[in-house]
Amino acid sequence: MSDATTATYPVPAHTAARTICDTETYEAMYRRSLEDPDGFWREQIGIVDWIKTPGVMGNWSYAPVDIKWFEDGVLNACFNCVDRHLPARADQPAIVWEADDPDAASITLTYAELHAEVCRFANALKAMGVAKGDRVTIYLPMIPEAAVAMLACARIGAVHSVVFAGFSAEAVAGRIDDAKSDFIITADEGRRGGKTIPLKQTIDDAICHAWHEVKGVLVVRHTGADVPMTHARDSWWHDRRETVSADCPAEPMNAEDPLFILYTSGSTGKPKGVLHTTGGYLVWTTLTFKYVFDWRDEGALHWCTADVGWVTGHSYIVYGPLSNGASTLMFEGVPNYPAVDRFWAVIEKHRPATFYTAPTALRALMREGDAPVLKHDLSSLRLLGTVGEPINPEAWLWYHRVAGKERLPIVDTWWQTETGGILISPLPGAIPTKPGSATKPFFGIEPALVDADGKFIEGPASGNLVLKSSWPGQARTLYGDHQRFAETYFSAYKGLYFTGDGSRHDEDGYWWITGRVDDVLNVSGHRLGTAEVESALVGHPKVAEAAVVGYPHDIKGQGIYCYVTPIAGVEGDAALEAELKAEVRREIGPIATPDQIHFTPALPKTRSGKIMRRILRKIAENDFGSLGDTTTLADPSVVDSLIAGRKNR
Ligand code: ATP
Ligand code: MG
């Protein structure tokens, strides 16, 4: 590997000068969080406002699985995200909205306006019959009403279940049934990348598909399209808004009362209804937002490009930033509409201080070269972040050089829907970075490596990533299926939380997530992370994207099967195949030489942009009959063309 990719990048001087947490502070706080968790959390819980301050901190067990934090505390998450900022920030923007269409006016809601809107929305929900504990499905595009609806649910103690507004009727129906959700909030239509998406229509179809009876549907008017309304069941938000008061008390909630259900991306199987509760989740998202984004009491703008349909949107568009009194940017569109410089144009226009996006988006943008970035003024930025997948060093360095001007810290944040918030990440003022490493654990997090038999592996090594102890933001269960929760995360290694991910732990104590454990190859007895091979392939200038899986191989046990998407205008031919094999050999070694290179114009991805390796594995294995749940795929037709390609090999 080149020197740049293996180098360590120190904390930038301007970050060191303003940071809320330097190296010494991090180390002292981290040590204390493990040695005296009770004392540590007693000091930290004041980061949120409690109606009744908890006396009990963590009270948890992994065998049997029973997780509680702050169980005798009482609070309201919406109050913390909205009301408590009114004295100091009533006129500060809480939500800034940028439309899909760059010529459409943006919208700003101040904290005072957000408060009034959330109260009205909460009163409208009550008028529909929504009560504390009821599950409310939210199927909304990236418009301010999505955050307003979530906060309104939290205000009255209803449990929101946000479903990404691009899922099919069938997928929505499955989630309505699983959550036994009586109420739905949707919009007439959504807009993304210049296209309209028929949301109300999809909800009508989903209600037909679902066996659970939906009692009420609240519809937000967004595009103004004429949509059919079912009498007695459907009502318009703008009609109800006229009839309700802008004042609604925030319901006192026990810390362990559910806040939301969120279905995982489905990269590895049937989506799981992850349940988060109020106190622990809010403490965790508030604290991680503050430390990872190095957030002082500054009222600046934070931009997380995720959709509210994913946990990243929940924790780092809505709850984390608003609980800290930040201004949060919601973007309705996509990175490449109307042109590939849209992200950078939005940064120039709204001037966020922090920018948080996914490696998949960065790789797509990197492919377009530096010019679209360089033509915009990005001088408002002081920090860059990534989440969602391992970031390959090439993409990290591009982000660092072109967007960060070799000046901004990058936080590569590792976490999961199930973890509620960030668990492993640099704290920008405290931890020097290495491209491709999520670096060090957050306070209270105790990562460890185990081998296949569950024995701890010490020292610099690779293995299965587990967490030894609980943290406040941890999921409490899978909705309605505690046994599946226990089996999925706590049965592989007794007494430990198994992340499903593999990791390397290096000589400096840095963590390098290598991808899902299912994605580790065993080639002639050597263990190889698919992410490593992918990173070598993507490092080739003619490759846009790559996904690597294992397949049965007579001699090696497992062979290396590579799906490769060349950059626009490049042909995937025998010459390129030979070049790529040579490149991987050179970077990793002969053991990693690909056995098969399958060129394809596209890869199967979830709606959140993650490659579905489980499907690629089946196709590589020539097993086309049992591809499993494909309802969460962004474009199912990709699968047929991959199968055809495989059959021709
Ligand atoms: P499912 O659990 O349904 O298969 P999913 O795991 O893709 O879906 P998420 O909870 O959104 O759903 O994603 C968490 C996973 O994403 C992690 O387990 C890890 O594999 C990957 N991931 C997230 N952030 C990072 C990161 N910074 N570096 C490496 N991997 C990451
Ligand atoms: Mg997962």
Side-chain angles (χ1 to χ4, degrees):
M1 272 195 222
S2 64
D3 291 347
T5 53
T6 50
T8 299
Y9 291 75
V11 171
H14 66 96
T15 305
R18 71 168 301 285
T19 187
I20 60 163
C21 184
D22 61 13
T23 309
E24 241 170 50
T25 312
Y26 164 73
E27 278 168 4
M29 284 176 76
Y30 181 68
R31 212 174 312 118
R32 176 151 154 77
S33 74
L34 298 196
E35 285 166 5
D36 176 19
D38 242 60
F40 178 84
W41 287 109
R42 237 171 261 287
E43 275 165 21
Q44 298 301 326
I45 50 171
I47 195 162
V48 305
D49 283 8
W50 298 87
I51 298 166
K52 178 180 178 289
T53 306
V56 187
M57 301 293 106
N59 180 12
W60 57 271
S61 147
Y62 282 174
V65 182
D66 184 15
I67 302 162
K68 293 194 204 86
W69 282 86
F70 319 130
E71 60 191 275
D72 57 342
V74 178
L75 76 168
N76 184 282
C78 176
F79 178 90
N80 273 280
C81 291
V82 184
D83 306 44
R84 70 160 165 163
H85 304 307
L86 293 177
R89 306 184 190 276
D91 298 327
Q92 180 200 307
I95 295 176
V96 177
W97 178 73
E98 169 74 11
D100 184 52
D101 172 2
D103 297 325
S106 26
I107 294 174
T108 297
L109 284 181
T110 64
Y111 271 97
E113 288 164 341
L114 178 63
H115 179 258
E117 275 312 275
V118 167
C119 284
R120 288 193 190 101
F121 213 105
N123 282 329
L125 292 177
K126 281 185 178 171
M128 288 169 67
V130 178
K132 184 171 178 171
D134 285 349
R135 277 82 51 219
V136 176
T137 299
I138 298 179
Y139 187 70
L140 283 174
M142 283 290 286
I143 53 178
E145 287 83 352
V148 169
M150 290 164 72
L151 292 165
C153 287
R155 193 166 191 86
I156 63 174
V159 181
H160 58 72
S161 165
V162 181
V163 178
F164 174 63
F167 274 132
S168 66
E170 201 188 355
V172 180
R175 287 157 176 77
I176 292 171
D177 284 343
D178 190 79
K180 298 186 191 63
S181 171
D182 290 345
F183 302 96
I184 299 177
I185 303 167
T186 189
D188 47 10
E189 292 179 328
R191 276 202 191 96
R192 252 167 86 87
K195 298 191 192 82
T196 47
I197 304 152
L199 302 179
K200 175 63 166 61
Q201 180 61 58
T202 305
I203 287 298
D204 288 342
D205 295 348
I207 290 173
C208 291
H209 271 80
W211 59 259
H212 185 82
E213 192 199 335
V214 172
K215 294 190 190 133
V217 180
L218 187 61
V219 187
V220 175
R221 188 167 62 194
H222 178 45
T223 63
D226 191 17
V227 294
M229 300 288 277
T230 299
H231 178 68
R233 187 194 72 188
D234 302 352
S235 54
W236 286 102
W237 156 234
H238 60 265
D239 287 341
R240 287 198 179 268
R241 188 174 179 279
E242 300 307 312
T243 66
V244 291
S245 120
D247 204 0
C248 171
E251 183 71 22
M253 302 297 288
N254 180 270
E256 283 300 336
D257 282 337
L259 179 62
F260 66 84
I261 299 167
L262 183 62
Y263 291 86
T264 59
S265 327
S267 309
T268 51
K270 180 174 171 276
K272 302 177 279 275
V274 170
L275 183 104
H276 283 286
T277 57
T278 308
Y281 173 81
L282 195 70
V283 166
W284 194 256
T285 48
T286 308
L287 198 70
T288 50
F289 178 81
K290 177 174 166 173
Y291 279 93
V292 174
F293 296 97
D294 210 7
W295 205 266
R296 284 201 303 223
D297 195 18
E298 61 201 75
L301 184 66
H302 168 71
W303 186 16
C304 164
T305 68
D307 191 281
V308 287
W310 315 124
V311 74
T312 308
H314 282 56
S315 301
Y316 300 109
I317 293 177
V318 181
Y319 289 106
L322 294 178
S323 178
N324 278 282
S327 305
T328 187
L329 180 66
M330 287 181 80
F331 174 43
E332 187 184 24
V334 295
N336 58 359
Y337 175 83
V340 294
D341 68 338
R342 186 66 191 279
F343 270 4
W344 320 113
V346 172
I347 293 173
E348 177 166 345
K349 176 172 173 190
H350 292 288
R351 302 196 60 75
T354 48
F355 177 62
Y356 190 34
T357 194
T360 176
L362 291 174
R363 283 194 296 270
L365 295 172
M366 184 166 93
R367 211 186 301 169
E368 308 295 339
D370 301 359
V373 194
L374 298 179
K375 74 180 202 218
H376 292 286
D377 172 8
L378 309 183
S379 61
S380 64
L381 294 173
R382 63 163 176 77
L383 176 145
L384 305 171
T386 75
V387 57
E389 281 177 287
I391 180 163
N392 47 301
E394 250 66 34
W396 193 102
L397 287 167
W398 182 81
Y399 200 27
H400 170 70
R401 180 174 58 81
V402 183
K405 320 292 179 206
E406 301 186 345
R407 189 178 68 86
L408 303 187
I410 296 181
V411 292
D412 171 3
T413 63
W414 174 83
W415 58 295
Q416 310 178 300
T417 309
E418 299 86 343
T419 71
I422 294 162
L423 298 199
I424 303 183
S425 166
L427 299 192
I431 302 171
T433 50
K434 303 186 188 189
S437 170
T439 76
K440 301 262 184 157
F442 194 75
F443 310 133
I445 300 303
E446 260 185 293
L449 297 179
V450 294
D451 65 16
D453 305 322
K455 275 210 278 307
F456 286 112
I457 312 171
E458 303 294 343
S462 295
N464 299 339
L465 181 65
V466 296
L467 301 166
K468 287 178 160 179
S469 50
S470 179
W471 63 98
Q474 184 169 26
R476 303 301 193 251
T477 193
L478 295 179
Y479 186 74
D481 200 347
H482 196 63
Q483 193 179 337
R484 187 174 175 210
F485 184 61
E487 277 165 12
T488 307
Y489 307 103
F490 303 93
S491 69
Y493 308 109
K494 207 167 163 70
L496 301 169
Y497 171 81
F498 178 41
T499 63
D501 286 340
S503 181
R504 182 158 72 80
H505 193 206
D506 76 11
E507 53 291 348
D508 299 323
Y510 277 50
W511 296 90
W512 301 73
I513 311 300
T514 47
R516 288 164 219 284
V517 170
D518 299 351
D519 298 337
V520 172
L521 305 169
N522 194 333
V523 182
S524 309
H526 297 270
R527 286 167 66 80
L528 257 179
T530 52
E532 250 179 294
V533 184
E534 285 162 11
S535 177
L537 291 166
V538 177
H540 191 284
K542 287 184 187 156
V543 173
E545 199 155 37
V548 172
V549 297
Y551 73 110
H553 190 286
D554 289 346
I555 299 156
K556 302 180 179 178
Q558 256 188 329
I560 302 177
Y561 196 103
C562 309
Y563 296 88
V564 173
T565 305
I567 59 167
V570 168
E571 194 64 33
D573 55 15
L576 183 56
E577 180 169 340
E579 268 179 53
L580 292 179
K581 286 185 176 170
E583 177 69 16
V584 176
R585 272 177 87 93
R586 197 184 59 75
E587 272 224 5
I588 310 175
I591 188 71
T593 310
D595 294 284
Q596 305 249 10
I597 292 194
H598 180 155
F599 290 109
T600 168
L603 293 167
K605 291 192 180 169
T606 64
R607 308 277 174 153
S608 53
K610 295 189 193 199
I611 298 166
M612 274 223 208
R613 289 193 178 68
R614 129 180 101 76
I615 289 177
L616 293 175
R617 219 176 289 127
K618 293 278 184 202
I619 295 174
E621 287 165 3
N622 269 314
D623 177 4
F624 310 128
S626 53
L627 296 178
D629 186 350
T630 53
T631 57
T632 63
L633 272 177
D635 176 10
S637 72
V638 171
V639 173
D640 297 329
S641 84
L642 283 169
I643 292 177
R646 180 68 177 117
K647 286 182 176 160
N648 286 335
R649 296 183 73 84

